[in-house]
Amino acid sequence: MQLPELAALAEWSDGDGLGRFERFVPMLGERVGFVLFPAHGAAMEATETMAHTLRDVLALGPADLAAIEALLWEECNFSFRVADYGAEARPGESALDAHLREFAMTGPADALARARLGEIHIDDGHAARFARLQYHTVAENLVSVIVKDGRIVDYDDDGTHLPWFEHDERCAHRRRRKVLG
């Protein structure tokens, strides 16, 4: 998508200063809502960087979907290790195993199938091009799967600080590993 097409497509809101539109995403096989976040203090208008980032997202393919699936599985395992969702362990079963059983999670495919994509955010004003795919996970967490310069790099909580990922694409992953010890 070129800038003039994006500029014509986006509807800007004076209330929050964000641009919104829907677009079919081939990797997902469905129409998805997009939200444009201009750089801090910038005008409410589409930019060439936003258009390029949208092209990045629309070009994602099967390998990228597999990466999203793996990240959502990682989120599922992390969430079930650090929080108690009320699953009672059976004899010989770990708390993680109990939660996976209770939530009927057997592998990465389940994590993707049970997650719900909300919308895709395109953030302007960074050195890299960033998009965030906003997923509601099986553990009912809202996470951002981060696309940096056209590549799936990590996930983090909604509202993550994107400049962290300019310097370390897997910084959230490393923080999760540290929490798990």
Side-chain angles (χ1 to χ4, degrees):
M1 173 175 296
Q2 299 304 314
L3 178 56
E5 186 181 356
L6 177 58
L9 188 60
E11 295 181 18
W12 293 88
S13 168
D14 288 332
D16 60 13
L18 305 177
R20 291 180 172 77
F21 63 95
E22 284 191 1
R23 183 76 183 195
F24 182 80
V25 178
M27 173 187 72
L28 302 171
E30 63 182 282
R31 288 183 71 80
V32 178
F34 283 80
V35 182
L36 301 175
F37 287 77
H40 181 69
M44 292 186 307
E45 61 186 19
T47 66
E48 184 55 50
T49 300
M50 290 175 182
H52 194 162
T53 306
L54 177 58
R55 289 192 300 272
D56 290 342
V57 171
L58 296 177
L60 295 173
D64 301 298
L65 192 58
I68 292 169
E69 182 179 85
L71 288 171
L72 293 173
W73 178 243
E74 182 181 339
E75 189 279 336
C76 174
N77 278 271
F78 179 76
S79 294
F80 291 159
R81 283 188 170 118
V82 300
D84 184 355
Y85 292 85
E88 302 240 352
R90 295 177 179 159
E93 190 177 52
S94 71
L96 172 62
D97 292 337
H99 282 87
L100 293 174
R101 174 185 42 77
E102 197 69 28
F103 282 79
M105 301 296 293
T106 61
D110 290 335
L112 178 62
R114 302 266 309 280
R116 297 177 321 279
L117 178 65
E119 55 194 16
I120 299 174
H121 296 175
I122 294 178
D123 295 272
D124 208 9
H126 302 283
R129 295 182 314 276
F130 283 110
R132 295 175 288 135
L133 286 69
Q134 301 296 103
Y135 277 96
H136 297 270
T137 68
V138 69
E140 289 301 324
N141 295 315
L142 179 59
V143 300
S144 297
V145 171
I146 299 161
V147 181
K148 176 185 175 190
D149 295 332
R151 295 174 295 109
I152 305 292
V153 296
D154 205 348
Y155 85 87
D156 203 5
D157 297 328
D158 178 42
T160 190
H161 186 65
L162 290 173
W164 291 335
F165 296 90
E166 288 183 319
H167 305 292
D168 180 0
E169 294 178 347
R170 299 286 287 160
C171 64
H173 174 79
R174 283 184 241 302
R175 286 193 323 269
R176 290 187 298 275
R177 293 287 132 223
K178 188 176 179 179
V179 166
L180 294 175

